[in-house]
Amino acid sequence: MIRELREVRIGVIGLGYVGLPLAVEFGKHYPTVGFDIDRQRIVELQSGRDRTLEVDAAELAEAAQLEYGCDLESLARCNVYIVTVPTPIDRFNNPDLTPLSRASESIAKVVSSGDVVIYESTVYPGATEEHCIPIIEAGSGLVYNRDFFAGYSPERINPGDKDHRLVNILKVTSGSTPEAADFVDALYASIITAGTHRASSLRVAEAAKVIENTQRDLNIALINELSVIFEKLGIDTIEVLEAAGTKWNFLPFRPGLVGGHCIGVDPYYLTYKAQEIGYRPQVIMAGRRINDRMGGYVAGRVVKAMAARKIHISESRALVMGLTFKENCPDLRNTRTIDIIHELQGWGVQVDVYDPWVDHDEAQQEYSVDVLSECPVQNYDAVIIAVSHDQFAAMTRQQYQALLKPASVLFDIKSLLPKDWVDLRL
């Protein structure tokens, strides 16, 4: 028998970009434990600081029923467990379910009869019941759908977006039994003002999430390929897209780098499962190949333009502006800006990186990149605007010109600046 909402005590496992906003919102309404294995993360949150910048100090203080912990004892009193850990890919682009496995192993040590385990992490259809649930059963001795129940409610957090927040994004819910589905839906409906959409099964909800970003990945891949074609034809891609965009049903996608923890990763979860059942996806994989090659394509255009200006490539210096995977956000996960940096370095270019949003220690740890603390004043042979941070948009033409040598290249990947300011854009 599943408990009533008034009896729930929620444990949110994983306090990153997804888990923290969820824990804070639930902590306004229910006794909630925010759990993370990173002890420093717990200390920071207890002091009222969120390094991801998703939740400010005032919002943290509003969650009066939220407490934090990094030891399993802190979860022992919970009866609803919500898993929001990362689901990355390995170097072969296969799903890395290690964080999910470890979270499930932890839950197995504290779960009790009547408890509900809800997964929000993005996975392939079937992963919750095929991979996670058996771990909980094996570790707890409890029987699925008799002693404990499960739900899947895919996260829809958009890092750095201050308009589309947790409570005003419609939430997809599902449960392993009709009773569990009712409970999971009611639980989220109690905090999500935008409402909920109840899927018929966990597998449907899992599939819905993984295709959200696969669809975006493919649309961007199409525009990236068009950008390559139009560059060879001597046509400005943005002008083409603006002209095509005058039709009411034209989709307003733009070319660019595709990274982050969702769009550049989720399609591989779906293709992995498809190949497991004997089907090799064609369109999805083609889109992934196009998007994964864009960093090298950008670097190649920069080198070609420098050579046309008779700049000695092996003696040149370039400034890459922006390292995060998206604008106005400190998130470095799976950033594809690193591809540009590595490609240019392979040509012998000395590359500096400036990004006012990133944590310098994290950049060094994740990518071995030393990020400049301030925008440099020296002149470069090439400047590449890789991320459209507000700080970069606010810079004047004179400030950009001050970064460049007389014979140089300014490549605006994001079309952030007026066309007549720059030499190249996608």
Side-chain angles (χ1 to χ4, degrees):
M1 175 68 72
I2 298 176
R3 297 170 179 81
E4 297 181 9
L5 286 186
R6 58 185 173 83
E7 300 174 315
V8 303
R9 182 177 177 84
I10 299 168
V12 178
I13 301 169
L15 297 178
Y17 286 86
V18 174
L20 180 62
L22 189 70
V24 167
E25 198 58 41
F26 273 126
K28 298 175 183 177
H29 305 272
Y30 304 98
T32 303
V33 175
F35 176 87
D36 200 288
I37 59 174
D38 184 347
R39 186 175 297 274
Q40 182 59 38
R41 175 72 165 154
I42 296 299
V43 172
E44 290 174 359
L45 292 172
Q46 288 173 334
S47 67
R49 185 173 78 86
D50 170 28
R51 73 177 75 149
T52 70
L53 307 182
E54 289 298 301
V55 183
D56 60 32
E59 291 175 300
L60 289 174
E62 288 178 18
Q65 299 185 68
L66 173 62
E67 58 186 82
Y68 304 98
C70 54
D71 300 312
L72 280 181
E73 289 76 14
S74 63
L75 290 174
R77 291 170 292 160
C78 297
N79 48 42
V80 176
Y81 302 93
I82 304 179
V83 179
T84 59
V85 297
T87 45
I89 51 177
D90 62 20
R91 63 191 183 95
F92 302 108
N93 292 329
N94 292 320
D96 178 3
L97 299 180
T98 304
L100 269 183
S101 298
R102 290 176 177 169
S104 300
E105 289 166 359
S106 295
I107 291 171
K109 297 175 182 178
V110 294
V111 69
S112 301
S113 182
D115 291 356
V116 178
V117 183
I118 304 169
Y119 288 86
E120 289 210 2
S121 306
T122 303
V123 292
Y124 53 78
T128 299
E129 293 179 299
E130 295 167 8
H131 182 83
C132 302
I133 296 303
I135 294 174
I136 297 176
E137 285 188 307
S140 67
L142 301 179
V143 177
Y144 178 49
N145 282 339
R146 188 193 72 186
D147 301 319
F148 75 98
F149 305 87
Y152 184 81
S153 181
E155 60 90 2
R156 283 178 163 173
I157 295 295
N158 186 27
D161 189 337
K162 300 305 180 184
D163 295 320
H164 300 94
R165 307 297 300 275
L166 172 69
V167 296
N168 58 27
I169 301 173
L170 194 141
K171 200 83 163 72
V172 174
T173 68
S174 63
S176 57
T177 67
E179 182 186 12
D182 287 341
F183 173 83
V184 173
D185 193 71
L187 180 66
Y188 281 105
S190 69
I191 66 166
I192 305 296
T193 58
T196 60
H197 174 91
R198 179 170 160 175
S200 62
S201 68
L202 273 63
R203 289 166 61 88
V204 168
E206 291 166 328
K209 170 57 184 178
V210 81
I211 71 164
E212 288 178 13
N213 291 316
T214 300
Q215 181 187 64
R216 292 194 66 200
D217 191 43
L218 285 171
N219 276 302
I220 298 171
L222 170 62
I223 303 302
N224 276 336
E225 187 166 54
L226 292 174
S227 176
V228 173
I229 294 170
F230 293 147
E231 188 269 326
K232 293 181 179 299
L233 291 173
I235 302 172
D236 186 277
T237 302
I238 300 302
E239 290 185 9
V240 174
L241 295 176
E242 289 172 347
T246 60
K247 190 167 187 280
W248 73 91
N249 59 353
F250 185 81
L251 301 178
F253 286 91
R254 290 289 185 267
L257 306 176
V258 182
H261 63 294
C262 289
I263 302 179
V265 172
D266 295 356
Y268 287 120
Y269 273 73
L270 185 57
T271 57
Y272 169 85
K273 188 61 177 180
Q275 291 176 98
E276 186 181 77
I277 60 174
Y279 179 76
R280 181 170 178 79
Q282 303 298 316
V283 176
I284 297 172
M285 292 307 297
R288 281 280 74 234
R289 286 192 295 272
I290 291 170
N291 286 340
D292 278 347
R293 293 171 181 166
M294 287 306 291
Y297 170 73
V298 167
R301 285 189 64 186
V302 171
V303 169
K304 182 179 178 181
M306 285 197 295
R309 289 162 172 74
K310 302 190 184 305
I311 299 170
H312 294 290
I313 306 302
S314 62
E315 300 174 5
S316 64
R317 293 174 62 89
L319 174 66
V320 173
M321 300 180 67
L323 183 61
T324 60
F325 89 87
K326 65 177 295 186
E327 68 280 358
N328 304 324
C329 173
D331 198 343
L332 288 172
R333 289 175 294 176
N334 193 37
T335 175
R336 299 283 34 107
T337 302
I338 197 67
D339 298 339
I340 300 174
I341 296 169
H342 288 163
E343 192 75 15
L344 289 175
Q345 289 172 335
W347 281 93
V349 180
Q350 182 175 332
V351 182
D352 289 340
V353 179
Y354 171 62
D355 192 319
W357 283 85
V358 305
D359 181 284
H360 293 191
D361 291 337
E362 184 181 358
Q364 177 57 231
Q365 180 179 347
E366 292 295 323
Y367 300 106
S368 300
V369 171
D370 291 319
V371 179
L372 299 174
S373 298
E374 297 180 355
C375 190
V377 294
Q378 63 195 65
N379 299 131
Y380 290 93
D381 298 289
V383 171
I384 301 103
I385 303 173
V387 187
S388 54
H389 291 317
D390 287 346
Q391 290 92 331
F392 301 160
M395 290 174 61
T396 65
R397 188 173 192 176
Q398 289 71 30
Q399 286 175 307
Y400 279 105
Q401 289 175 335
L403 292 172
L404 295 160
K405 292 180 180 178
S408 57
V409 177
L410 176 57
F411 195 150
D412 182 7
I413 294 175
K414 303 297 292 185
S415 297
L416 184 67
L417 308 179
K419 180 183 177 182
D420 62 346
W421 290 21
V422 305
D423 301 294
L424 301 172
R425 59 181 185 172
L426 282 180

